[in-house]
Amino acid sequence: PLGRGGAPASPASPWARALGMTAVVLLGAWLGLLTVGSVLTPVGPMDTRMTLRPSLTGGTKINVSPLGALELDTHTAPLRLDVDVDQLDPVRSQALVERPERFSGLQDEVGRDVRNGTTELAVRSVVAVVSGATALGLVVYRRPRRALAAGGLALTLLAASGVGAYATWNPKSVLEPKFSGLLSSAPQVVGSARSIVTDFDVYQKELARLVTNVTKLYDATSTLPTYQPDPATIRVLHVSDIHLNPAAWHIIGSLVEQYGIGAIIDSGDTMDHGAAAENTFLDPIADLDVPYVWVRGNHDSRVTQEYLGRMKNVRVLDDGRAVTVAGVRVAGIGDPQFTPDRSVVAEGDPAERLAGIRLASALRDQERAGTPVDIAVAHEPEAARQTDGLVPLVLAGHVHHRATEIMPHGTRLKIEGSTGGGGLRALQNEKPEKVRASVLYLDRTTKRLQAWDEITLGGLGLTTAEVSRHLPQEAGKPGTGPSPDPSATPSADASPGSPSDAPSDAPSGSSPDPSAASPAPSAGPPSGSPGTGPPTGSAAGPPGSPYPPPEPFWR
């Protein structure tokens, strides 16, 4: 080539050529690794993807989405091994569960899988690095000899990296992992890696339990109902009976964010004694970015109600007052009794039925005014039953366990458990009470319930979590009817994936014959059971009530 004035151009210096070649090799090798430098390989019951990445420090990073990652200082080299745990294979997991004796050889199996995967990765990486550097060298230099030189240099650098990794291999790094994301709490949850190594028999049993539970989860999710809420679906969070448990606010806040909740409905007993000194416990409600609809429970005082009424995002419902939140019309009434006040004799169910009749009257007034109510709320189920036939859905709490039933005139009654795990009183029980809440999916046009998710978390000292999807059966169809007696005590030993509460609608992953359901044993027939006539205090009112049996207006 010629320079200025036609003089021959001076050739590039050897250092410049060497730097240029190095840049081409490194860039080509990196592009090759990005393109084909990864392998899919099973490791025990897991499906993983192994990849080599350029790195200044080396080491191994294991990504367990969405829980986080753990980093191991396994080696020092310009290459890092990334292992992405894609999913747990349900077939291999089920095989482990059905043949527990395989756990004794699981460690060897995992080691063998890792060796096979890394061997395949090494071969693929060699091909990727050499091919990438050679191809880029040919594009840049357009000379086969220079391109082959780039490929050879890439192979030399990769071999040197492998030798460095082998020379600095640190097998004890598994004892000192660095956690990130949700896995940062792993040492507190499962113990340190060193204790896992020294007490492997204990860890093996816990691993078996983990695989068993995850297998049950896969079994459930593989048969989930096909309902898929769209962005226009209204999501309402139903909570109840928090009873001064401060952890409830963190749970509620997380559910609001994760589920895109449009409004929260609290069916009462947020407090325990209803004293003014407890009111500061309610302050986190103001930080929730959605409307908070609240009715007074029998542990909530008028002082509590006045305090909540001053919060901007709180809608206090009492005496049948109705409000519209997130496009849904909600009406409710506070509990007529305040049981912490021992100076007043509790009036029991008669007072609750009278409050329910007042709520039913308010619902009729709303219907006549052309503003029909979509959801009614009362704290005590006995009061909620008086709205049968006047509203599609009524929510209640009080009994600290879940129950769902279609009442005789077509209204669905949903009773929520304790979102506070029973509060401080949970310490008095032999076993911790679970934390419960439900996400209700409502059609934006009809405002009717399309599905609901029941969230159940382990109580004090427990770390279990269950989510089950339920689809409603149509009211009035043959085979539908009341659920078992909601006062029946649920089993405290229910396994994950088998909630102890038994709603009348079929849960996700099951399709029982509703007509063959057997009510749980109780002291007497459930209110509204077939053959017993209208339940006491139904929407038709007690004997002598001026209200005739209503015809559901939404049919």
Side-chain angles (χ1 to χ4, degrees):
L2 300 179
R4 286 187 177 181
S10 60
S13 68
W15 288 106
R17 290 198 300 271
L19 288 176
M21 174 65 75
T22 302
V24 168
V25 168
L26 293 178
L27 181 58
W30 179 65
L31 291 175
L33 286 177
L34 284 181
T35 305
V36 294
S38 65
V39 296
L40 295 174
T41 182
V43 176
M46 298 174 293
D47 289 332
T48 67
R49 178 183 295 273
M50 295 183 177
T51 309
L52 283 180
R53 300 291 187 198
S55 171
L56 296 177
T57 58
T60 300
K61 184 176 182 180
I62 302 175
N63 300 295
V64 187
S65 179
L67 300 179
L70 58 93
E71 297 182 18
L72 307 175
D73 188 15
T74 54
H75 62 277
T76 301
L79 292 174
R80 184 187 73 202
L81 174 62
D82 282 0
V83 181
D84 296 314
V85 179
D86 292 337
Q87 64 179 0
L88 194 67
D89 186 270
V91 176
R92 298 200 299 274
S93 301
Q94 186 67 40
L96 283 174
V97 174
E98 293 174 350
R99 299 175 58 190
E101 67 274 8
R102 292 187 59 185
F103 278 101
S104 59
L106 184 61
Q107 189 175 17
D108 294 335
E109 180 184 346
V110 169
R112 185 168 57 254
D113 290 342
V114 170
R115 283 193 297 272
N116 292 339
T118 52
T119 300
E120 182 181 354
L121 178 64
V123 173
R124 183 181 288 265
S125 297
V126 169
V127 174
V129 165
V130 173
S131 299
T134 302
L136 187 61
L138 188 61
V139 171
V140 173
Y141 297 111
R142 299 182 181 181
R143 296 178 183 176
R145 182 177 297 180
R146 299 293 295 272
L148 291 175
L153 180 57
L155 181 60
T156 302
L157 292 177
L158 183 61
S161 299
V163 171
Y166 180 80
T168 58
W169 175 250
N170 177 22
K172 295 183 179 180
S173 62
V174 296
L175 300 179
E176 298 177 351
K178 298 178 182 178
F179 297 93
S180 61
L182 292 178
L183 286 179
S184 59
S185 63
Q188 289 75 33
V189 175
V190 302
S192 67
R194 194 176 299 274
S195 68
I196 290 175
V197 173
T198 56
D199 300 322
F200 186 75
D201 289 342
V202 177
Y203 175 65
Q204 183 171 278
K205 295 177 182 177
E206 294 301 315
L207 178 63
R209 289 179 55 192
L210 172 64
V211 174
T212 300
N213 290 342
V214 173
T215 300
K216 290 181 178 179
L217 176 62
Y218 269 97
D219 287 342
T221 55
S222 64
T223 54
L224 277 178
T226 56
Y227 172 74
Q228 293 292 334
D230 58 51
T233 301
I234 301 172
R235 295 165 171 83
V236 175
L237 178 64
H238 181 201
V239 301
S240 190
D241 295 86
I242 293 174
H243 285 294
L244 285 180
N245 185 348
W249 301 129
H250 299 284
I251 295 169
I252 291 172
S254 177
L255 291 174
V256 167
E257 180 179 355
Q258 296 298 322
Y259 279 83
I261 298 297
I264 302 169
I265 298 179
D266 186 338
S267 48
D269 270 7
T270 313
M271 314 299 268
D272 219 10
H273 300 92
E278 296 177 343
N279 283 345
T280 54
F281 168 77
L282 302 168
D283 290 347
I285 295 177
D287 297 328
L288 298 172
D289 294 330
V290 295
Y292 196 96
V293 180
W294 182 86
V295 298
R296 189 178 63 252
N298 62 294
H299 282 265
D300 303 319
S301 66
R302 298 278 179 174
V303 174
T304 299
Q305 182 164 308
E306 292 173 1
Y307 189 84
L308 279 171
R310 293 193 289 269
M311 293 187 181
K312 291 183 178 179
N313 65 320
V314 175
R315 311 289 188 269
V316 173
L317 302 186
D318 199 5
D319 297 319
R321 180 194 174 202
V323 297
T324 299
V325 292
V328 180
R329 189 78 171 161
V330 186
I333 193 166
D335 198 292
Q337 304 180 89
F338 180 53
T339 52
D341 185 357
R342 302 302 181 185
S343 65
V344 178
V345 179
E347 299 178 9
D349 284 353
E352 300 295 344
R353 284 193 287 270
L354 183 59
I357 292 171
R358 287 164 51 202
L359 176 58
S361 177
L363 294 176
R364 289 187 179 88
D365 291 341
Q366 291 287 331
E367 168 66 11
R368 284 192 290 267
T371 55
V373 170
D374 304 305
I375 302 176
V377 190
H379 175 66
E380 226 275 1
E382 188 62 32
R385 292 182 187 279
Q386 315 313 308
T387 66
D388 186 16
L390 297 172
V391 68
L393 176 65
V394 59
L395 307 179
H398 183 66
V399 295
H400 288 206
H401 69 262
R402 288 195 184 104
T404 302
E405 67 175 90
I406 304 294
M407 294 189 288
H409 295 293
T411 293
R412 181 185 302 277
L413 169 62
K414 285 190 57 60
I415 304 172
E416 188 53 80
S418 173
T419 309
L424 294 177
R425 66 187 61 210
L427 299 174
Q428 304 170 0
N429 301 333
E430 182 180 350
K431 293 185 178 181
E433 189 170 328
K434 292 186 176 182
V435 174
R436 293 178 168 91
S438 295
V439 176
L440 313 178
Y441 299 95
L442 306 175
D443 183 87
R444 185 168 293 276
T445 302
T446 65
K447 310 301 189 296
R448 299 297 175 258
L449 185 66
Q450 303 297 305
W452 69 92
D453 290 343
E454 293 180 348
I455 294 97
T456 306
L457 306 176
L460 187 66
L462 300 180
T463 56
T464 61
E466 305 166 13
V467 180
S468 59
R469 167 72 49 85
H470 300 260
L471 301 183
Q473 297 172 350
E474 292 297 327
K477 283 188 177 181
T480 62
S483 68
D485 182 3
S487 64
T489 302
S491 167
D493 300 320
S495 62
S498 302
S500 58
D501 310 298
S504 61
D505 296 86
S508 61
S510 64
S511 54
D513 179 6
S515 62
S518 301
S522 61
S527 175
S529 296
T532 62
T536 304
S538 68
S545 168
Y547 301 127
E551 177 67 17
F553 62 83
W554 62 89
R555 289 185 178 172

